[in-house]
Amino acid sequence: MATIIGGIAASHTPTIGFAYDRDKRGDPAWAPVFEAFDPVRQWLDVQKPDVLLFIYNDHITSFFFDHYSAFALGVGQKWAVADEGGGARQLPAIGGDPAFAAHLGRSLMADEFDMSFFQERALDHGCFSPLSMLCPHGEDGWPVRIVPLQIGVLQFPIPTARRCYRLGQSLRRAIESYPEPLRVVIVATGGLSHQVHGERAGFNNTEWDARFMELFENDPETLASMTHAEYAELGGMEGSEVIMWLVMRGALASRVRCQHSAYYLPSMTGIATAIYENTAAPPPPSERERRQRHGAEQLAGAEQLAGTYPFTIERSVKAYRLNEFLHALVRPEVRAAFLADEESAFERAGLTETERDLVRRRDWRGMIHYGVIFFMLEKLGAVIGVSNLHIYAAMRGQSLEDFQRTRNAPGALYSVAGRDAGKLDWNREGGAQKAP
């Protein structure tokens, strides 16, 4: 089973990455930053975790206000460094753990945390600023995988401190019920006191920072009871992001061993690092099995429904590239290029030969089996002039006429094609061949 070794707390201010990239270790103004992270890196080198579960917030880099989620779990295979305006940092991408992330997602949703899930989004300094200090990296990549959990703390209303603490408690149950022998460290990022906007920009409160660290270790319930306004008053408006630390704290035992703690205020943000070793005993096998059933109970039995393929995170990760290719057909310029030269479109998208063949042959059933969600087939059909009914019939292995005999209105053909659609040639047999 997976084991929580402990938790790491680390500020994620971009000054940390700046100091690392420009090798400021010998500069007296920056040396304390390196000294704060050195023991954490050494601890990780000894513990050798398989996965870091990274609790962070994006700084309106890869997530924007067209869709802003409270809790977004990264389920992808790889995570690149985001360009935040002046070019991406020269750090290698880091691997994800889709299977572990999918398990966490199922368990959290079963506990009624309404998660969103993301892939193929670059991670900004919320992750990579501390990560570059925590782990060695180079051409061979990183010695560890990460699962990022993005907390939406910038556009109010945001999750309460109590909700973050409870999310951590749910994460503990999810991690400990994962059947593979993973060693997991939970990294909480953000803070400490700072404010970066308005006339209060530059606000810090070192007394509160020290008090927060003490309460975090010994009395997290008090922190969980505080309001956002109280956090903002004591630690600055942006400093209230420290509620993300409570996700990590909730995942650990009620009592923890603090192996390291450091604090430094060089400029705008109180920079802190800490290591908390988990003292909780592993759950008994019966509890792990109960938690596994709990996470899987909503789809239990669906596998017995012949011809039914729930669109799970696992299927989404496997077929992400093909789903993304078909989704791009909603853009006029992309579908025009596809209709003009399919093979060039396949090449630009980097589709595998299997994926290209599925689209070439209009293998609707095969695409479903591969992991494409139906609503991407619907879009492809609209572009090439094939009705939804042709697609349904082909998936069932029937002719259109035979399928139509099972409908109440046999003559009703339709698609999602809009005003730019050309001639809809729906009078031909089957949907598996190309439209003219």
Side-chain angles (χ1 to χ4, degrees):
M1 70 170 188
T3 303
I4 302 173
I5 304 167
I8 291 172
S11 302
H12 64 210
T13 169
T15 55
I16 298 168
F18 178 89
Y20 180 89
D21 291 346
R22 288 155 181 81
D23 193 18
K24 296 284 189 179
R25 181 181 284 273
D27 187 322
W30 295 102
V33 177
F34 292 87
E35 293 164 3
F37 276 91
D38 285 344
V40 189
R41 185 178 62 257
Q42 293 161 8
W43 182 81
L44 284 171
D45 186 56
V46 170
Q47 297 297 330
K48 292 182 170 46
D50 300 297
V51 178
L52 302 180
L53 178 55
F54 239 86
I55 316 298
Y56 83 109
N57 69 282
D58 175 86
H59 298 81
I60 318 303
T61 304
S62 296
F63 294 81
F64 192 62
F65 303 123
D66 55 340
H67 185 103
Y68 198 69
S69 299
F71 303 124
L73 183 66
V75 299
Q77 298 183 16
K78 186 170 66 173
W79 305 105
V81 183
D83 184 337
E84 300 187 57
R89 295 177 64 197
Q90 292 185 337
L91 299 172
I94 187 168
D97 194 325
F100 180 49
H103 170 84
L104 297 180
R106 281 191 299 271
S107 186
L108 293 173
M109 291 291 281
D111 278 356
E112 299 183 357
F113 281 91
D114 297 326
M115 308 298 296
S116 65
F117 304 96
F118 67 95
Q119 302 179 58
E120 298 293 321
R121 293 195 180 219
L123 307 180
D124 74 0
H125 70 265
C127 274
F128 276 106
S129 192
L131 185 61
S132 59
M133 286 279 198
L134 293 176
C135 298
H137 50 276
E139 293 181 0
D140 295 333
W142 303 78
V144 69
R145 304 183 297 277
I146 74 167
V147 172
L149 175 54
Q150 201 279 144
I151 313 294
V153 295
L154 299 184
Q155 176 180 273
F156 289 86
I158 66 174
T160 64
R162 173 72 61 187
R163 189 65 170 162
C164 289
Y165 191 54
R166 287 175 176 163
L167 175 63
Q169 294 170 330
S170 184
L171 270 173
R172 176 174 58 200
R173 296 189 291 268
I175 293 167
E176 291 179 340
S177 65
Y178 188 61
E180 300 299 322
L182 292 183
R183 291 171 60 79
V184 180
V185 168
I186 303 173
V187 182
T189 74
L192 292 180
S193 68
H194 66 291
Q195 184 158 323
V196 297
H197 82 273
E199 290 80 1
R200 205 185 183 210
F203 173 84
N204 298 107
N205 185 344
T206 56
E207 291 183 5
W208 165 243
D209 288 343
R211 177 64 174 155
F212 173 83
M213 296 284 283
E214 189 275 324
L215 290 171
F216 184 79
E217 180 182 349
N218 298 309
D219 187 11
E221 279 289 334
T222 292
L223 297 178
S225 300
M226 291 173 55
T227 67
H228 300 138
E230 289 171 329
Y231 274 102
E233 179 184 3
L234 291 166
M237 196 71 241
E238 282 74 33
S240 62
E241 70 187 4
V242 291
I243 62 172
M244 296 189 296
W245 287 34
L246 290 171
V247 179
M248 178 264 279
R249 188 64 182 88
L252 303 182
S254 58
R255 291 200 173 275
V256 293
R257 287 191 295 267
C258 182
Q259 297 293 88
H260 160 77
S261 181
Y263 178 83
Y264 178 52
L265 178 59
S267 181
M268 290 291 291
T269 304
I271 298 176
T273 61
I275 302 169
Y276 303 97
E277 290 195 339
N278 197 23
T279 62
S286 59
E287 173 62 15
R288 295 199 305 269
E289 292 167 4
R290 187 190 70 80
R291 290 298 306 176
Q292 289 170 5
R293 291 194 301 272
H294 175 64
E297 66 184 357
Q298 292 299 321
L299 278 177
E303 70 281 358
Q304 300 175 22
L305 302 173
T308 302
Y309 312 94
F311 190 72
T312 60
I313 289 174
E314 291 87 347
R315 290 173 66 81
S316 178
V317 171
K318 174 192 173 187
Y320 183 88
R321 180 175 46 241
L322 184 50
N323 277 305
E324 183 183 39
F325 173 78
L326 297 173
H327 180 259
L329 296 174
V330 300
R331 306 200 322 255
E333 70 278 10
V334 173
R335 59 177 174 262
F338 170 76
L339 290 171
D341 186 348
E342 289 189 16
E343 296 302 321
S344 294
F346 297 154
E347 187 67 25
R348 285 191 296 272
L351 299 189
T352 66
E353 184 53 38
T354 296
E355 293 163 343
R356 298 178 193 206
D357 186 61
L358 287 169
V359 180
R360 283 189 199 110
R361 294 188 294 109
R362 311 300 191 244
D363 186 351
W364 309 107
R365 182 192 290 183
M367 283 188 271
I368 289 290
H369 290 176
Y370 187 77
V372 174
I373 194 168
F374 166 76
F375 303 100
M376 298 302 106
L377 306 187
E378 187 176 54
K379 290 171 175 55
L380 176 59
V383 169
I384 64 174
V386 171
S387 80
N388 280 33
L389 280 296
H390 283 86
I391 299 172
Y392 301 143
M395 286 192 296
R396 286 168 60 119
Q398 295 179 315
S399 68
L400 178 63
E401 287 74 15
D402 287 344
F403 180 66
Q404 288 289 68
R405 292 189 187 100
T406 69
R407 306 298 95 191
N408 292 328
L413 298 179
Y414 61 88
S415 82
V416 294
R419 62 185 182 184
D420 295 336
K423 180 182 179 183
L424 300 176
D425 190 354
W426 287 346
N427 296 319
R428 299 181 309 150
E429 182 72 15
Q433 71 266 26
K434 299 180 183 180

